[in-house]
């Protein structure tokens, strides 16, 4: 049995449940620059190049999550270049009431952090070239340092046009809040098949496929000791795209061997992590 997800595994759309579909749709269009790619009753899919990055579901009867609950820490949209990220940052500043949560130079990437109107964390980032990433064995060097956001915009956009859709943008990674890191490691590495690429002691673990710095991360910064999630607004589903039937079949075997209950229709494999975060492989 193969112990790892295939190298070409990548993140698919993130589904968010919201009590105000129109407000959240406008936010993700106005700032990140996504456009509507599909719509059905109570559901709007937003993305670029005809691909869905964020799926919004109307859930007016649900309550909001407690900040200390397990769930979504942030959805991270990866931009193809510095210019498209700088343009998105300018658009974000033009949103009334926009909540800016800071910046981070992580050595492998440069990131801007925001909070959407529902309280969901959102990271907008650009990767540095892979050849500049520093590895020690199977661990990548990531840090968090500050940088000047105004200087970033001035260098990479100047007075250029901040409108338009960021062609090539994808969901680069998804960061979750969980109750404890050892259980997260057992689930996302041992059972699901990601490789661990970094860890911050007992507080956070980062995992990926194919030598990326991280496709997912799990932390306890706000949620240490959290149990299973209630049915709330916020994160609905994390999609992971696995190339080929063989990769999906190997994941099916790993999860079954560890007693993880799955819903399997032959093309997708859906299951909950230990905190009730819903994951789907497809």
């Amino acid at each position: 049995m193969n112990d790892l997800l295939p190298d070409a595994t990548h993140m698919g759309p993130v589904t968010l449940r919201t009590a105000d579909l129109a407000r959240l749709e406008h936010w993700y269009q106005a700032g990140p620059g996504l456009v509507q790619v599909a719509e059905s009753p109570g559901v709007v899919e937003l993305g670029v190049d005809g691909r869905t990055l964020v799926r919004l579901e109307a859930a007016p009867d649900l309550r909001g999550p407690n900040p200390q609950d397990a769930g979504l820490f942030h959805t991270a949209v990866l931009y193809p270049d510095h210019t498209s990220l700088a343009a998105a940052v300018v658009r974000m500043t033009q949103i009334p009431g926009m909540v800016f949560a800071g910046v981070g130079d992580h050595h492998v990437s440069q990131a801007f952090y925001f909070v959407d109107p529902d309280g969901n964390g959102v990271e907008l980032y650009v990767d540095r070239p892979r050849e500049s990433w520093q590895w020690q064995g199977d661990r990548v060097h990531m840090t968090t340092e500050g940088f000047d956001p105004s200087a970033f915009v001035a260098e990479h956009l100047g007075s250029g046009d901040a409108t338009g859709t960021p062609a090539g943008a994808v969901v680069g990674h998804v960061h979750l809040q969980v109750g404890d890191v050892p259980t997260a490691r057992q689930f996302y590495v041992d059972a699901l098949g990601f490789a661990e690429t970094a860890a911050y002691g007992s507080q956070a673990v980062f995992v990926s496929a194919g030598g990326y710095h991280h496709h997912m991360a799990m932390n306890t910064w706000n949620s240490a000791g959290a149990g299973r999630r209630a049915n709330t607004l916020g994160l609905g589903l994390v999609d992971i795209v696995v190339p080929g039937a063989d990769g999906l079949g190997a994941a099916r075997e790993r999860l079954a061997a560890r007693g993880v209950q799955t819903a399997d229709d032959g093309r997708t494999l859906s299951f909950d992590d230990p905190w009730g975060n819903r994951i789907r492989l497809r």
Side-chain angles (χ1 to χ4, degrees), residues 1-279:
M1 179 169 58
N2 191 339
D3 290 333
L4 292 175
L5 291 165
D7 285 354
T9 298
H10 60 276
M11 302 310 295
V14 173
T15 298
L16 301 175
R17 297 180 293 199
T18 179
D20 193 333
L21 189 61
R23 180 180 67 171
L24 213 58
E25 178 183 8
H26 173 74
W27 192 91
Y28 280 94
Q29 289 178 323
L34 309 184
V35 298
Q36 188 181 115
V37 298
E39 184 178 23
S40 57
V43 177
V44 173
E45 297 186 24
L46 304 174
V48 298
D49 309 323
R51 295 176 290 101
T52 301
L53 275 64
V54 177
R55 185 174 184 268
L56 304 177
E57 290 184 352
D61 297 330
L62 296 183
R63 67 168 178 85
N66 185 301
Q68 283 75 49
D69 288 346
L72 184 66
F73 189 66
H74 62 237
T75 301
V77 179
L78 171 61
Y79 288 79
D81 51 56
H82 291 80
T83 300
S84 58
L85 174 57
V89 171
V90 170
R91 291 193 301 270
M92 295 296 290
T93 66
Q94 297 168 347
I95 299 176
M98 179 271 296
V99 178
F100 176 53
V103 299
D105 184 336
H106 302 302
H107 184 81
V108 296
S109 63
Q110 288 178 284
F112 293 78
Y113 295 94
F114 303 91
V115 180
D116 78 14
D118 281 7
N120 301 302
V122 179
E123 175 182 341
L124 308 181
Y125 77 109
V126 64
D127 277 336
R128 285 201 164 95
R130 282 202 179 206
E131 56 268 24
S132 72
W133 302 355
Q134 296 176 7
W135 292 84
Q136 291 186 336
D138 58 0
R139 301 300 176 97
V140 66
H141 172 67
M142 290 191 289
T143 186
T144 300
E145 299 174 351
F147 64 90
D148 185 338
S150 297
F152 180 95
V153 171
E155 177 182 356
H156 298 295
L157 186 66
S159 59
D161 187 6
T163 62
T165 301
V170 298
V171 175
H173 64 268
V174 176
H175 199 145
L176 301 177
Q177 297 190 165
V178 299
D180 71 276
V181 164
T183 302
R185 183 179 286 113
Q186 291 170 3
F187 184 84
Y188 284 96
V189 176
D190 299 340
L192 185 50
F194 279 117
E196 182 175 342
T197 57
Y200 293 155
S202 62
Q203 296 184 332
V205 61
F206 299 78
V207 301
S208 82
Y212 191 55
H213 53 72
H214 68 294
H215 286 110
M216 295 193 73
M218 288 65 63
N219 77 67
T220 62
W221 297 325
N222 301 317
S223 56
R228 192 171 179 86
R229 293 177 59 195
N231 185 28
T232 65
L233 300 173
L235 182 64
L237 178 68
V238 175
D239 269 301
I240 302 171
V241 181
V242 178
D246 290 346
L248 192 64
R252 182 184 297 112
E253 291 181 19
R254 284 192 303 273
L255 291 163
R258 289 160 178 82
V260 178
Q261 299 296 311
T262 62
D264 186 354
D265 64 8
R267 295 174 59 87
T268 65
L269 199 62
S270 302
F271 46 90
D272 288 347
D273 79 359
W275 299 275
N277 297 306
R278 193 68 170 170
I279 311 294

